[in-house]
Amino acid sequence: MPVVEGSDLVQLQRRRQQVRNICILAHVDHGKTTLADSLVASNGIISQRMAGKLRYLDNRADEQERGITMKSSSISLYYQEAEDIAGNPDYLINLIDSPGHVDFSSEVSTAVRLCDGAIVVVDVVEGVGPQTRACLKQIYEEQLKPVLVLNKLDRLILEKQMDPLDAYFHLTQVLEQVNAVLGSIFASDILAKEDITKKDNYESALEEVDDSELYFSPSSGNVIFCSAYDGWAFSVRNFAAMYAKRLEMKRTDLEQVLWGDFYYNSKKKEALPGAQEKAKKPMFVQFVLENIWSLYDIIAVRKDKDKLPGIAEKLGLKLAARDLRLTDPKLQIKAVLGQWLPIDKSVLHMVVEHVPPPHKITEERAQRLLYPANVDLSSLPAETLKLKDSFTGCDADSSNVIAFVSKMTPVHVTQLPQNRPKRLTDQEVQQRRDEVRRRIEERKLQSEQAELEKISQGVEQLSTQVEVAKKEEPEPEQGEANEFVFIAFARVFSGTLKRGMELFNLSPKHDPRQPTHRKEDEATYASRVTIGDLYMFMGGELQLLDEVPAGNIVGIGGLESHIVKTATLSSSLDCTSFSELSIMATPILRVAIEPVQPQDMPKLVKGLKLLNQADACVQVSVAPTGEHVITTLGEVHVEKCVHDLEQSYAKIKVNVSKPIVSFRETIVPAATVDMVNEAIVKTAEDKDVSKKIAIQQTLNKLGTLKVIAVPMPAEAVELLEKHSEFFKELAAIPRNQLLSEKWTTLLAAIKVKLIAALQDLQLFGLSNLSTEELVNRVWALGPRNCGTNILLNLTDYEQPDFWSSHAKSDTDIRSKTDPRKDFNSSLVNGFQLTSVAGPLCEEPMQGVCFAVLEWSIQAEGEDLNSRGPFSGQVLTAAKEVCRQAFQNQPQRLVTPMYSCNIVVNAEMLGKMYAVIGRRHGKILSGDLTHGSGNFAVTCLLPVIESFNFAQEMRKQTSGLACPQLMFSHWEVIDIDPFWLPTTEEELMHFGEKADSANRAKVYMDSVRRRKGLFVDEQVVEHAEKQRTLSKNK
């Protein structure tokens, strides 16, 4: 197909009915980039023969080396419908290829936000992978229209050697797997929204909702079967069109029965149900799969080249002479099947048919994007609500311009279209020829001059060259500074974006409900920006544009100093800031970075700023110790970031520390069995609760605090963890401001759930209050007012109401007579300091309830500030008493856990289990994948044990097992960090020195050593003098 001119694509941008925005999503190595190659080849950008080998959209060197995609890349494609479709319309397809590796899942989020539909690719041999599930969940949350591509059918023929009937049953099972994942996501979402307060309603919410449009079905046209590497694909519709005349059936009727349990009755000339029951061949096997299997059998298995011309003639194909001379069977298959069932026609027709154009965005999706989740729509100004009409209509002529930037893409200056060498016109070529002739004649004249003049000229040239060199020295630094330009990867949702236009850049805190935010002079969270050059993405290349109408994906220059990662651009301050991107995985792997040469520190700081802008998921920060820390998703992500720093952004050598892993500290109920599972017999002294209570006086002995720490039930910890963002926003609200109705109801709902969750809270009989009264006495959450630890008031002091609809304030209580009111915030801050840095290794606490049993101040006739400010004394005492109370209980470390998915064959199963066992992992499941000899193993692995896990796994299993790690949850390490063997059985089992190292203590000491805290360790134990024995000669 000829190369499509850029001007044709620009014209198509204006016709919103003929624009489609799609992304390709899948698990790693399921064939996304190969499929994208085949679609790119349809536009003549690359050769059809190179599709799948070139990986055109993987334009980074490390992407080509590793064979995985690491970033989202966009390209605009032209597609024209076949002649038999009315009007023969042409379309503009904005295609985004995204990574499948879990370490780059943030790039998927940036792609999904800009699209209206998604192509979900599934490898038919491996089936649904964990990343496929994550992609389907994200598609559902962002309300995109998905279509399914079942890829690598050639593996069923050549690798698995299935016959057509077995392959059909295998395909139905893969399709069922995908639909089951979709169904579970849909059901969990509906049930989460269900109103459970209605007591009389016994019907499930699932019975009322319509899910007919949700699932994938070949008969409805949203499923395609293909082999992207071999360059062919088909839908049920393709074969229905081929067979309609021969089988004397309507094409539409044939589409409905070609997939499913139907067989063809040649006497009645109709399709009948019950093929499996009557032991008949399903129509899909008889008319579709058998034909493809026989072609593969002739070309790839028997390698019968002589039959190729006959096959081509029967199928109505025109094979070139060079195609008939091909010796590689794979290339022959590409030549024959690629012409008979072209992949681009099938896939792009399905996209055009099922993915909605930009102006048909659903009301729900528009509302989700435009308005934040916690905001009550009635509280928004009328102008803001009106914007929804121009947003859903996607009107290019609208005066309201709205665009969303999902990420900043680094582009080398040489890649910009304005810096590329331009093609010369005939006139310019002629001028250059004349110039060359003139120079040749001048040289002849110069050569005729005397030798002395030549020498003097040479000296002059040398001196001028030195001067020029001196002048040019500072220039490379400027070039270095501007070597990378950041292009905003964006989509226009309303209006037309033009070069030089002035818009507002709305930060996430911009809120049109505040009157000051809608006035340009007073809007603190909005700034004016000028739109620079506009670009159309063409894979690794860019094409300049003058304007971009609504509904298109665009690159915007000139915004790098205003936008860090994402932004909302609008012509009006009435517009809300778009909801944040839903990130599939949380960054958890932290490493400290420093330059090898200390004088390169300024370059590193500058490089880290560029890295922070270029990578959507990396978090760059400076630790309290002064280290520059980057937080990433995994080891591959760290390697990519370090490579980018060294090669592109900082251009210096850097040292990377061992990964820094966050832990948490908690307490647990007293153990009932020891380390060898022997029951612990408790004495009366062990049962004495008073030993668990910590008592602390202030420095001047005028204030006393009594506190006990108790572990919280797991349900309560989960509840507070889930709503931590809500409590964080709540704490940031200005004092004495009335909460909105939506927030008040959410706060009341959390309170009801917390009452239910704290039913099992064990207070050792120190309080007779009911659970509801206990929840009313919640004083504060920690750390940072939004954590999973509770400060509980069991004293006679009346604390500020945590659950009131007014924002928390001390001013209204201070007027009362109780002197303790003045020091309320000091005590709460002491609790916050303890909960943010626990006694084990100064890591945050989790799931600890600090119950204050007594708080007294002797204020009569005494100077409270006799030993320094009393508020500071209360803060110190509160901090110390909470630490003591924590240490009086059994302490434990909490470690983050990875969920690990591995696909491995049966021979390597034992070696894989050995690697997981060495790293203290837990196997959750190990199931045989149907239709293949592979096992899909799921396990949990502590994050601290995961370093070099992938390399070791590949080494031990000869590269046959490749793990995918994703953060799962926090888990308590059920070993006391200070445990030593004491009982006879423990000494017998573990030895006097506990030869097997205490895992919790090893982790704790590693964190303490990193932070420069005291580590209780003996470097040498039982040292003996060295004896050198002389060797007998």
Side-chain angles (χ1 to χ4, degrees):
M1 191 175 177
V3 177
V4 179
E5 288 294 325
S7 54
D8 297 343
L9 298 176
V10 172
Q11 284 177 346
L12 278 171
Q13 282 189 338
R14 301 178 198 287
R15 304 179 206 156
R16 55 187 185 180
Q17 180 62 43
Q18 283 153 263
V19 174
R20 298 290 185 275
N21 298 311
I22 53 158
C23 52
I24 305 180
L25 307 178
H27 189 71
V28 68
D29 284 338
H30 277 206
K32 295 178 296 304
T33 309
T34 308
L35 175 64
D37 261 14
S38 302
L39 301 181
V40 169
S42 70
N43 273 221
I45 297 168
I46 61 171
S47 150
Q48 282 282 7
R49 219 174 252 199
M50 292 304 291
K53 294 175 187 168
L54 192 64
R55 302 205 313 280
Y56 180 71
L57 293 179
D58 286 356
N59 43 36
R60 286 174 57 107
D62 48 354
E63 286 182 318
Q64 290 288 349
E65 280 169 25
R66 287 178 181 272
I68 58 169
T69 306
M70 293 184 176
K71 56 158 188 10
S72 300
S73 305
S74 178
I75 190 163
S76 297
L77 301 175
Y78 172 84
Y79 168 64
Q80 190 165 24
E81 283 281 28
E83 285 76 16
D84 58 340
I85 288 161
N88 190 15
D90 43 7
Y91 291 89
L92 171 67
I93 312 280
N94 292 316
L95 177 80
I96 304 177
D97 180 31
S98 62
H101 197 286
V102 70
D103 280 13
F104 307 104
S105 54
S106 61
E107 290 284 334
V108 178
S109 307
T110 62
V112 164
R113 173 56 60 91
L114 304 184
C115 296
D116 301 307
I119 299 174
V120 181
V121 183
V122 176
D123 181 340
V124 290
V125 174
E126 291 185 15
V128 176
Q131 208 57 20
T132 317
R133 286 191 181 84
C135 290
L136 286 168
K137 191 170 194 296
Q138 196 150 25
I139 288 167
Y140 182 81
E141 281 174 5
E142 290 279 348
Q143 291 165 349
L144 269 61
K145 181 74 180 167
V147 289
L148 181 66
V149 171
L150 294 174
N151 192 17
K152 304 194 185 182
L153 252 75
D154 57 302
R155 286 184 70 188
L156 297 181
I157 307 170
L158 302 173
E159 192 182 309
K160 296 297 166 193
Q161 296 185 344
M162 290 184 175
D163 60 41
L165 190 62
D166 288 343
Y168 166 72
F169 289 125
H170 180 73
L171 289 171
T172 56
Q173 283 170 340
V174 172
L175 192 61
E176 274 172 29
Q177 275 179 11
V178 180
N179 283 334
V181 172
L182 265 180
S184 66
I185 293 166
F186 174 73
S188 59
D189 178 56
I190 296 297
L191 293 171
K193 291 176 185 171
E194 190 176 9
D195 187 3
I196 53 171
T197 53
K198 293 178 184 173
K199 304 285 182 193
D200 308 330
N201 185 13
Y202 292 105
E203 282 188 9
S204 168
L206 287 169
E207 291 175 20
E208 296 166 15
V209 289
D210 177 29
D211 62 350
S212 56
E213 295 287 307
L214 181 72
Y215 299 111
F216 295 116
S217 166
S219 53
S220 59
N222 59 2
V223 178
I224 270 186
F225 304 90
C226 93
S227 167
Y229 192 77
D230 286 350
W232 57 267
F234 66 88
S235 64
V236 166
R237 177 182 166 277
N238 297 118
F239 277 92
M242 281 181 213
Y243 283 108
K245 206 171 181 182
R246 272 179 59 190
L247 301 181
E248 297 178 20
M249 288 176 75
K250 284 183 185 172
R251 199 194 75 186
T252 48
D253 295 345
L254 196 52
E255 276 179 36
Q256 298 304 312
V257 294
L258 207 49
W259 173 267
D261 194 29
F262 296 94
Y263 68 95
Y264 183 68
N265 188 320
S266 50
K267 288 179 183 174
K268 294 182 180 176
K269 300 213 167 171
E270 62 179 351
L272 299 171
Q276 207 170 341
E277 190 186 325
K278 292 169 185 169
K280 303 271 188 185
K281 265 187 203 170
M283 288 175 74
F284 191 75
V285 175
Q286 187 179 350
F287 298 117
V288 181
L289 295 184
E290 284 187 351
N291 289 321
I292 292 166
W293 255 247
S294 62
L295 276 174
Y296 266 88
D297 184 51
I298 292 165
I299 299 168
V301 180
R302 285 191 273 158
K303 298 180 182 171
D304 196 344
K305 271 180 74 176
D306 304 334
K307 288 189 179 176
L308 272 183
I311 291 168
E313 199 179 322
K314 278 182 185 172
L315 296 174
L317 311 176
K318 290 177 184 174
L319 287 181
R322 66 172 188 178
D323 290 335
L324 295 168
R325 285 199 300 270
L326 291 169
T327 51
D328 185 1
K330 276 282 184 187
L331 291 175
Q332 291 171 353
I333 283 171
K334 217 171 202 178
V336 176
L337 280 160
Q339 264 196 61
W340 183 40
L341 304 168
I343 189 166
D344 51 293
K345 294 254 169 46
S346 305
V347 174
L348 294 179
H349 173 78
M350 175 173 71
V351 165
V352 164
E353 192 106 328
H354 291 274
V355 174
H359 66 285
K360 290 191 178 169
I361 188 169
T362 61
E363 287 280 321
E364 278 179 46
R365 184 163 188 236
Q367 196 165 306
R368 187 185 178 281
L369 291 177
L370 263 183
Y371 310 126
N374 290 335
V375 172
D376 189 3
L377 291 186
S378 58
S379 65
L380 290 165
E383 293 87 351
T384 306
L385 295 170
K386 273 183 196 168
L387 284 175
K388 190 175 165 189
D389 299 333
S390 55
F391 188 86
T392 48
C394 195
D395 187 4
D397 302 323
S398 171
S399 57
N400 296 315
V401 179
I402 303 171
F404 179 73
V405 176
S406 72
K407 70 168 182 170
M408 299 297 283
T409 309
V411 175
H412 203 277
V413 173
T414 55
Q415 296 292 315
L416 294 175
Q418 54 265 44
N419 297 341
R420 285 225 185 103
K422 292 174 184 173
R423 289 178 70 180
L424 299 173
T425 59
D426 293 342
Q427 195 176 353
E428 285 171 330
V429 170
Q430 190 59 45
Q431 280 175 354
R432 290 204 175 187
R433 279 179 188 154
D434 295 344
E435 179 71 22
V436 170
R437 282 191 194 119
R438 192 176 60 75
R439 280 184 187 172
I440 291 167
E441 284 176 14
E442 275 180 15
R443 278 180 194 163
K444 279 180 184 176
L445 287 169
Q446 281 175 1
S447 63
E448 290 167 6
Q449 288 179 353
E451 203 172 311
L452 188 66
E453 285 176 14
K454 277 186 182 179
I455 293 165
S456 62
Q457 269 184 344
V459 172
E460 280 174 20
Q461 280 176 348
L462 278 172
S463 62
T464 52
Q465 276 177 0
V466 170
E467 281 174 27
V468 169
K470 280 180 185 172
K471 282 179 188 173
E472 285 178 356
E473 266 176 20
E475 279 183 19
E477 284 182 24
Q478 291 175 354
E480 236 175 82
N482 302 322
E483 198 170 338
F484 280 90
V485 176
F486 283 91
I487 306 292
F489 192 54
R491 173 172 166 181
V492 188
F493 283 94
S494 171
T496 301
L497 203 62
K498 296 177 183 173
R499 196 185 305 176
M501 185 183 261
E502 281 204 350
L503 296 175
F504 291 105
N505 169 24
L506 310 178
S507 73
K509 287 187 179 178
H510 176 75
D511 186 358
R513 292 176 297 172
Q514 310 288 339
T516 53
H517 287 204
R518 283 185 281 152
K519 294 175 186 168
E520 190 179 337
D521 305 333
E522 299 175 35
T524 47
Y525 299 114
S527 57
R528 268 199 177 277
V529 295
T530 305
I531 302 298
D533 289 319
L534 299 174
Y535 304 98
M536 181 192 286
F537 289 106
M538 295 299 289
E541 297 178 5
L542 297 166
Q543 185 180 322
L544 268 172
L545 301 170
D546 293 322
E547 58 177 45
V548 179
N552 287 287
I553 289 168
V554 62
I556 310 171
L559 299 179
E560 56 198 59
S561 56
H562 301 281
I563 298 171
V564 179
K565 294 193 179 185
T566 63
T568 307
L569 302 176
S570 171
S571 57
S572 159
L573 283 170
D574 295 319
C575 183
T576 52
S577 179
F578 273 41
S579 57
E580 286 187 15
L581 297 174
S582 53
I583 302 292
M584 292 148 74
T586 44
I588 196 168
L589 187 67
R590 295 185 299 158
V591 291
I593 286 188
E594 62 178 22
V596 173
Q597 304 292 336
Q599 66 265 31
D600 289 336
M601 183 55 90
K603 288 183 181 175
L604 176 69
V605 172
K606 189 178 133 200
L608 285 170
K609 277 183 186 170
L610 293 173
L611 176 70
N612 187 40
Q613 202 166 9
D615 197 309
C617 206
V618 76
Q619 293 172 4
V620 178
S621 57
V622 179
T625 53
E627 293 173 303
H628 289 277
V629 175
I630 60 169
T631 312
T632 59
L633 283 166
E635 283 186 86
V636 183
H637 195 189
V638 169
E639 285 168 27
K640 181 204 169 207
C641 292
V642 171
H643 177 270
D644 284 355
L645 269 178
E646 291 189 338
Q647 303 298 323
S648 306
Y649 304 139
K651 293 201 165 178
I652 55 167
K653 285 283 174 196
V654 296
N655 289 330
V656 183
S657 74
K658 283 185 177 177
I660 303 164
V661 178
S662 301
F663 283 91
R664 290 185 186 172
E665 301 178 19
T666 191
I667 54 174
V668 292
T672 53
V673 292
D674 62 13
M675 291 293 281
V676 285
N677 288 334
E678 296 279 334
I680 296 172
V681 181
K682 289 187 179 177
T683 59
E685 198 177 327
D686 294 335
K687 292 178 184 175
D688 186 6
V689 179
S690 60
K691 289 202 167 184
K692 307 279 186 191
I693 299 169
I695 303 169
Q696 182 77 29
Q697 288 187 319
T698 54
L699 197 60
N700 58 11
K701 311 291 186 208
L702 297 178
T704 310
L705 277 164
K706 277 188 185 179
V707 174
I708 187 168
V710 291
M712 277 164 57
E715 299 83 36
V717 176
E718 275 174 38
L719 179 71
L720 294 175
E721 185 91 64
K722 185 181 170 187
H723 295 287
S724 63
E725 281 300 315
F726 167 71
F727 285 117
K728 193 176 185 179
E729 288 176 33
L730 198 65
I733 286 177
R735 296 188 165 198
N736 285 337
Q737 184 183 318
L738 193 67
L739 299 180
S740 69
E741 193 181 333
K742 194 164 187 177
W743 279 41
T744 312
T745 50
L746 183 55
L747 194 63
I750 294 170
K751 186 180 176 182
V752 171
K753 288 177 184 173
L754 193 60
I755 290 167
L758 288 178
Q759 293 288 347
D760 302 331
L761 187 69
Q762 185 69 41
L763 282 170
F764 306 107
L766 295 168
S767 170
N768 301 321
L769 299 172
S770 67
T771 315
E772 192 171 345
E773 287 169 320
L774 284 175
V775 172
N776 284 328
R777 283 175 168 268
V778 170
W779 204 333
L781 299 180
R784 300 183 188 90
N785 297 310
C786 60
T788 55
N789 307 292
I790 289 178
L791 183 65
L792 201 59
N793 178 20
L794 299 181
T795 66
D796 55 352
Y797 168 69
E798 190 186 332
Q799 91 284 359
D801 186 8
F802 181 80
W803 305 101
S804 71
S805 57
H806 281 78
K808 318 299 165 284
S809 169
D810 298 336
T811 50
D812 54 338
I813 334 165
R814 283 190 185 168
S815 57
K816 295 182 184 173
T817 52
D818 194 337
R820 293 176 290 185
K821 304 274 182 193
D822 296 337
F823 307 107
N824 181 79
S825 60
S826 297
L827 192 143
V828 171
N829 286 339
F831 155 72
Q832 298 288 2
L833 285 170
T834 308
S835 60
V836 83
L840 289 178
C841 49
E842 291 195 359
E843 291 287 304
M845 290 184 184
Q846 174 183 298
V848 184
C849 174
F850 291 101
V852 183
L853 305 173
E854 184 189 317
W855 183 26
S856 59
I857 295 177
Q858 298 162 13
E860 289 82 29
E862 297 282 351
D863 180 14
L864 290 174
N865 299 325
S866 59
R867 296 279 187 97
F870 191 65
S871 58
Q873 294 181 42
V874 171
L875 190 147
T876 309
K879 181 183 166 189
E880 287 304 318
V881 77
C882 287
R883 281 176 85 95
Q884 282 175 25
F886 182 89
Q887 287 173 305
N888 287 345
Q889 296 283 8
Q891 303 163 75
R892 296 288 184 271
L893 273 181
V894 188
T895 177
M897 300 293 282
Y898 274 138
S899 162
C900 175
N901 296 283
I902 310 166
V903 176
V904 63
N905 64 10
E907 296 109 61
M908 293 296 168
L909 213 52
K911 289 181 178 177
M912 184 207 65
Y913 284 146
V915 174
I916 295 168
R918 272 198 296 277
R919 291 172 178 263
H920 307 287
K922 292 181 195 166
I923 306 293
L924 298 181
S925 66
D927 304 322
L928 184 67
T929 309
H930 185 81
S932 71
N934 292 341
F935 280 83
V937 178
T938 309
C939 67
L940 292 174
L941 194 72
V943 171
I944 197 164
E945 299 283 1
S946 67
F947 312 122
N948 297 321
F949 174 65
Q951 284 91 320
E952 188 187 353
M953 183 65 79
R954 279 197 288 268
K955 205 182 284 179
Q956 294 293 334
T957 60
S958 310
L960 293 172
C962 190
Q964 284 260 339
L965 297 167
M966 197 170 183
F967 175 69
S968 171
H969 65 287
W970 291 84
E971 189 173 286
V972 177
I973 302 171
D974 205 18
I975 307 169
D976 186 346
F978 305 108
W979 174 83
L980 285 171
T982 48
T983 65
E984 203 174 312
E985 288 83 2
E986 284 178 345
L987 285 164
M988 194 187 296
H989 192 276
F990 293 102
E992 239 174 87
K993 291 200 195 73
D995 301 327
S996 53
N998 181 340
R999 195 156 61 95
K1001 189 172 190 317
V1002 171
Y1003 296 161
M1004 183 181 79
D1005 286 349
S1006 70
V1007 177
R1008 291 186 74 89
R1009 203 174 285 113
R1010 193 188 79 235
K1011 292 184 175 181
L1013 304 171
F1014 171 71
V1015 178
D1016 180 22
E1017 63 178 348
Q1018 289 175 302
V1019 180
V1020 177
E1021 279 187 68
H1022 310 299
E1024 290 179 3
K1025 188 178 174 187
Q1026 181 185 352
R1027 290 186 299 152
T1028 309
L1029 301 175
S1030 59
K1031 197 172 180 185
N1032 293 325
K1033 291 182 183 176

